[in-house]
Amino acid sequence: WDLNSDGIPSEKPSNVIPDAAFGPPKGGKYENLSVVKQRVLPVKSIVALLGEPQQALERLLSTSIAPEGSGKKAVIIGAKKRQGEEIYEFEYVLDLPNGRRIHTWSNAGLKQPKTRGPPSYADTSFDRYGRKGNEEADNAPELITMTLVTPEDESLTSKKIAMITRISQGFKLS
């Protein structure tokens, strides 16, 4: 997701890089799993942040993944909110200008900050560079996404789809 400086979904692309990414040995940009975590403005729900699932996916595809003029075409397979959870599940196929078809499963979840009691000296936090933490930012919700992509070709077997579905359904905000 591209979020502007206010933590609101943006129409302009940003330079968000994954917090973790995994793919086949020797690379391969058409098959991977990535996880991205971004702080956002305080909102009560993922619906308040991104809108309804179908609307959120359509905006993501039209502004970031397959904007008009890119030569890419996205076909939505599904967009839904998990029952009782702050998680969206998206599935779509992306047709690339080079003729490749990429099948994508993506989850987006809104994780609220843990409630904290009164601050104490022991609560002082530091980032990985030894700088004192920003308590306001530390208490902001996080939008966490996990995306799995694989070519839609002979390697996409029913066994592989079942494995990807289990991985996607295992996405939790704990």
Side-chain angles (χ1 to χ4, degrees):
W1 290 95
D2 294 326
L3 303 177
N4 66 22
S5 61
D6 294 325
I8 304 296
S10 171
E11 299 296 320
K12 296 187 292 184
S14 68
N15 294 323
V16 175
I17 59 172
D19 290 289
F22 306 92
K26 298 182 184 175
K29 63 183 177 180
Y30 298 116
E31 185 169 45
N32 67 59
L33 179 149
S34 63
V35 177
V36 174
K37 180 173 69 170
Q38 295 176 265
R39 300 234 182 242
V40 295
L41 281 180
V43 291
K44 297 235 183 263
S45 70
I46 194 162
V47 174
L49 179 66
L50 302 177
E52 293 296 328
Q54 184 77 23
Q55 168 195 358
L57 179 55
E58 288 171 359
R59 186 174 58 246
L60 173 67
L61 294 173
S62 69
T63 61
S64 296
I65 307 293
E68 192 173 322
S70 69
K72 301 174 190 173
K73 181 181 177 219
V75 177
I76 295 174
I77 296 170
K80 67 179 186 175
K81 182 178 184 292
R82 276 193 199 162
Q83 187 69 30
E85 296 184 70
E86 289 297 310
I87 296 174
Y88 283 176
E89 296 177 346
F90 301 137
E91 184 178 356
Y92 59 93
V93 174
L94 186 64
D95 293 321
L96 301 176
N98 64 8
R100 287 190 180 263
R101 288 179 58 95
I102 306 299
H103 200 123
T104 302
W105 292 260
S106 188
N107 297 335
L110 183 67
K111 183 176 181 181
Q112 295 292 345
K114 294 180 180 170
T115 56
R116 299 173 66 176
S120 70
Y121 179 75
D123 289 337
T124 303
S125 61
F126 296 89
D127 68 12
R128 63 182 170 185
Y129 303 107
R131 298 181 297 222
K132 186 170 181 339
N134 177 338
E135 190 169 330
E136 184 176 310
D138 292 344
N139 288 325
E142 296 173 320
L143 180 65
I144 302 171
T145 61
M146 179 181 76
T147 302
L148 298 100
V149 298
T150 190
E152 192 164 83
D153 59 16
E154 67 280 347
S155 72
L156 188 57
T157 62
S158 59
K159 185 176 180 179
K160 189 174 188 179
I161 290 172
M163 177 192 66
I164 291 171
T165 301
R166 281 192 312 275
I167 292 168
S168 180
Q169 290 172 345
F171 177 79
K172 304 285 184 217
L173 296 173
S174 49

